[in-house]
Amino acid sequence: MKLITASILPKVIRKRPVNSFKGTYGKVALIGGNQNYGGAIIMSTLGTVSAGAGLTTTFTAPSNQSSLHAWIPEAMFADYQDQTLLQHLLPTMTVISLGSGLGTDQQSLELIHTVFDLVTPHQTLLLDGSALTLIARNHLQLPSANIILTPHQMEWERLTGVKLADQNPETNQQAYTQLAATQPHLIAVVKSAQTEVFTPTGAFQNTTGTPAQATGGMGDTLAGIISGFAAQFADLDAAVLAAVYTHSAVADQLAQQQYVVLPHQISAALPRFMHEHQAS
């Protein structure tokens, strides 16, 4: 496997043109956060906005609206049960991220079907958390779009049938190849202590990361950062690699002075990190 190193950052993170505006950097819809797991979609939203997405709309349970705006007023709120809004707004998005804190009940499954029906081939659809579990449990066929999967190892097992104990770069590559065979463009980010990323252009292993990241919400934040990078940077494969590296590289820096790195702290440090590693 090729290694993901800091060399990816200036290839992706470019100095912003003087004449750019919010529309230049993409529109992201984040869908998830039921009444019990609102924190997950809020952390994902923090990651997306802090990574530089131009416009971010969070579709979540109404009970999360106040907390969302308290944490991140830059994001717009929408009720994820509002079919009219979903049908009107989702086709306008650059990236749709589905699953953080979504839950696995019937309502969540129906929402996945709605998104799959609405997403178009030119859009990017990131699938995380609960969405991956429901896809595996119900044997759902992925829609025609640019797909990014962000499973942890147990979710990868559910999706592919490769037992956790048997997962290694070779078996993961084989499983990815089978999944990607029927998709126009599929990327899999298999999260672990040494996260592996499989793309149509190759297989990669991350070189950053710390045990200080072992806390709830870390994957939600990563999904948000990937969404933000995918929305604004043209090369999708490179954007995902840069997002994976950045997420853990920021944590490495924070862990030099902290026993535990909290997910929202990574988002808070993102704009400075990206500024330091942008290419002119």
Side-chain angles (χ1 to χ4, degrees):
M1 302 186 81
K2 300 175 184 177
L3 298 180
I4 312 172
T5 68
S7 64
I8 190 66
L9 299 179
K11 296 177 183 177
V12 173
I13 305 172
R14 314 297 294 184
K15 187 174 181 179
R16 291 187 161 191
V18 173
N19 62 348
S20 63
F21 64 106
K22 60 189 177 184
T24 306
Y25 303 107
K27 297 180 179 180
V28 179
L30 301 156
I31 306 172
N34 64 17
Q35 66 272 20
N36 296 320
Y37 302 119
I41 200 65
I42 291 171
M43 286 183 283
S44 191
T45 305
L46 282 166
T48 297
V49 173
S50 299
L55 286 167
T56 301
T57 302
T58 301
F59 291 80
T60 187
S63 58
N64 297 323
Q65 182 176 9
S66 295
S67 296
L68 174 71
H69 283 161
W71 269 100
I72 187 82
E74 294 84 356
M76 293 170 282
F77 162 82
D79 183 350
Y80 68 0
Q81 300 173 72
D82 189 327
Q83 289 289 319
T84 301
L85 266 181
L86 287 165
Q87 293 176 18
H88 175 67
L89 292 177
L90 289 191
T92 71
M93 298 295 168
T94 313
V95 176
I96 300 169
S97 177
L98 173 64
S100 295
L102 183 65
T104 56
D105 59 10
Q106 184 61 31
Q107 177 180 287
S108 301
L109 180 59
E110 291 171 0
L111 186 52
I112 290 175
H113 283 297
T114 296
V115 173
F116 280 18
D117 288 342
L118 291 172
V119 69
T120 61
H122 72 274
Q123 291 177 300
T124 295
L125 174 63
L126 184 148
L127 298 166
D128 184 51
S130 307
L132 297 172
T133 297
L134 286 170
I135 289 166
R137 180 184 298 169
N138 295 279
H139 308 288
L140 301 183
Q141 183 176 349
L142 297 176
S144 180
N146 298 308
I147 301 291
I148 304 171
L149 307 176
T150 56
H152 57 57
Q153 289 174 291
M154 283 304 301
E155 290 164 342
W156 185 241
E157 178 180 324
R158 294 173 195 142
L159 283 170
T160 66
V162 180
K163 299 294 184 183
L164 195 154
D166 297 328
Q167 292 176 19
N168 58 55
E170 290 73 26
T171 58
N172 288 343
Q173 175 69 69
Q174 292 170 1
Y176 164 78
T177 301
Q178 291 179 343
L179 282 175
T182 58
Q183 294 301 127
H185 195 115
L186 187 139
I187 300 170
V189 180
V190 184
K191 298 177 291 190
S192 68
Q194 292 183 306
T195 292
E196 297 168 6
V197 182
F198 299 92
T199 78
T201 56
F204 304 84
Q205 188 172 68
N206 194 27
T207 57
T208 54
T210 166
Q213 290 176 267
T215 189
M218 198 58 67
D220 302 307
T221 297
L222 175 60
I225 296 171
I226 292 174
S227 298
F229 275 44
Q232 64 187 300
F233 301 126
D235 186 330
L236 182 60
D237 292 1
V240 172
L241 295 175
V244 169
Y245 182 90
T246 294
H247 173 256
S248 292
V250 172
D252 285 348
Q253 291 182 354
L254 294 172
Q256 293 177 16
Q257 298 181 1
Q258 297 180 200
Y259 185 72
V260 174
V261 174
L262 301 181
H264 75 269
Q265 294 173 322
I266 294 177
S267 295
L270 263 180
R272 180 180 294 276
F273 181 91
M274 293 176 70
H275 176 77
E276 292 171 349
H277 292 89
Q278 67 182 328
S280 59

